[in-house]
Amino acid sequence: MNLPFRNILIYGLGLMGASLSLALKKKGADAKVTGVVGSRKSKEKGISLGSADRILTSEEFGENPNWNDFDLIVFGVPVNTIVELIPSLPEDWPGLMTDMGSTKRDIISAVESSHSSSHRYVSSHPMCGSEESGLEFANADLYEGRLCILTRPKGATEKAFSDLESFWRFLGMETVEIPALEHDRILSYVSHSPHIIASIMTDWVWESECVQKFTDRSPLPLTGGGFRDMTRIAGSNPKMWAPIFSSNRDEILSSLLDFRGHLDRIISELGPEKPLDLDHWKSFMEKSRNHRDGILKKKNDPKKL
């Protein structure tokens, strides 16, 4: 199978965008990929790394934004930038349009406001990435075997949805359709709030005077694998995550309040008035392990982590 696209624009050639470009080449896509970056320095870096067939800065592209030169446009920039760019897209443009935004309500609203009639914009969220940022960390296998969530605005054609499914599957992904409201609620639990919690945990540990004191004295970190794994995503790219927290504020607040309720219940179990109950804590850990298996679908595929 090959793709019907011959000229692809990836607007935002960071980690995700550059990985997408490399993945297309690795899969043998017969398409020319143009990437847009934010600065001349990134352009020079992208050219030296072979991140795309052609690379332009956003300023260069803005001087002559020939959207009609492309039959597929993929936005790989922060959510707020995607929302700003959508109104500039030609309403009657026949090509396929998508994004890789981590929240959907603002994007879907912008599409529906700008494209009142039938159109070919369907939003995407590839569930992959890294705590690293920058096109130098691009990985041609980033999308292989991962999930891509698709969200269709009102007016999107069935052909556009089908073509986008085929595009991501060409790259080795599985797809599922989730509406915008449910997408943002789910992501507040499985991604957005965990990023905040990981950052809080990092600050909480570092602000302990005892931890600081003996970390300074120790030749190696005092932490084990648990702290490293739980805080891997702390402090991820602020330019990407600040707009995510802003655009999904209500759902993140709701999920964090829910989390606080769970934490309060655990704190009450640790109070001095509570008797020591080993069976309770064994049951607590066993239930958590089962729930993790369910979330990660390990019951369906024991090879998944």
Side-chain angles (χ1 to χ4, degrees), residues 11 105 134 154 219 238 275:
Y11 195 103
R105 280 180 295 181
K154 294 176 183 177

Side-chain angles (χ1 to χ4, degrees), residues 194-204 230-231 233-236 245:
H195 272 78
I196 291 176
I197 292 167
S199 296
I200 291 172
M201 182 177 294
T202 303
D203 294 340
W204 162 67
M230 292 185 69
T231 59
I233 56 177
S236 295
F245 296 151

Side-chain angles (χ1 to χ4, degrees), residues 87-107:
S88 66
L89 297 170
E91 188 168 352
D92 59 349
W93 182 64
L96 182 63
M97 300 165 282
T98 192
D99 60 79
M100 298 188 284
S102 295
T103 64
K104 293 304 171 197
R105 280 180 295 181
D106 289 352
I107 292 173

Side-chain angles (χ1 to χ4, degrees), residues 58-278:
S58 54
E59 183 178 359
E60 290 170 337
F61 183 81
E63 292 172 356
N64 186 25
N66 293 322
W67 302 110
N68 291 324
D69 289 349
F70 308 98
D71 45 22
L72 171 63
I73 296 170
V74 183
F75 291 115
V77 289
V79 173
N80 58 324
T81 305
I82 297 170
V83 171
E84 291 170 1
L85 286 167
I86 286 171
S88 66
L89 297 170
E91 188 168 352
D92 59 349
W93 182 64
L96 182 63
M97 300 165 282
T98 192
D99 60 79
M100 298 188 284
S102 295
T103 64
K104 293 304 171 197
R105 280 180 295 181
D106 289 352
I107 292 173
I108 296 302
S109 177
V111 173
E112 293 176 349
S113 297
S114 301
H115 296 75
S116 56
S117 59
S118 177
H119 60 83
R120 284 175 54 78
Y121 193 115
V122 177
S123 194
S124 305
H125 186 184
M127 297 298 289
C128 53
S130 168
E131 70 275 17
E132 304 290 355
S133 61
L135 53 80
E136 64 269 30
F137 297 104
N139 175 7
D141 297 319
L142 185 67
Y143 298 90
E144 189 71 44
R146 307 303 291 271
L147 177 71
C148 186
I149 299 172
L150 302 181
T151 302
R152 69 173 100 194
K154 294 176 183 177
T157 67
E158 287 295 333
K159 183 68 163 57
F161 188 86
S162 174
D163 286 349
L164 192 60
E165 271 196 315
S166 296
F167 173 75
W168 292 117
R169 288 175 177 172
F170 174 82
L171 295 170
M173 303 195 83
E174 298 288 344
T175 62
V176 63
E177 183 179 3
I178 301 179
L181 292 177
E182 287 85 350
H183 171 279
D184 289 0
R185 181 166 301 138
I186 292 166
L187 267 292
S188 74
Y189 277 88
V190 303
S191 177
H192 305 162
S193 291
H195 272 78
I196 291 176
I197 292 167
S199 296
I200 291 172
M201 182 177 294
T202 303
D203 294 340
W204 162 67
V205 171
W206 182 247
E207 289 167 6
S208 163
E209 291 184 7
C210 188
V211 171
Q212 284 194 41
K213 177 181 177 180
F214 286 95
T215 295
D216 289 342
R217 295 181 183 181
S218 175
L220 293 172
L222 298 176
T223 60
F227 179 82
R228 181 198 61 226
D229 293 344
M230 292 185 69
T231 59
R232 178 183 60 81
I233 56 177
S236 295
N237 186 359
K239 289 183 179 179
M240 180 181 76
W241 280 96
I244 291 172
F245 296 151
S246 177
S247 65
N248 205 25
R249 175 178 175 175
D250 292 346
E251 294 295 348
I252 292 172
L253 173 61
S254 178
S255 66
L256 285 175
L257 289 172
D258 190 13
F259 178 81
R260 185 169 70 181
H262 283 257
L263 183 60
D264 286 342
R265 287 193 289 274
I266 291 298
I267 290 173
S268 70
E269 291 292 330
L270 292 168
E273 70 282 0
K274 291 281 186 176
L276 181 63
D277 186 350
L278 294 180

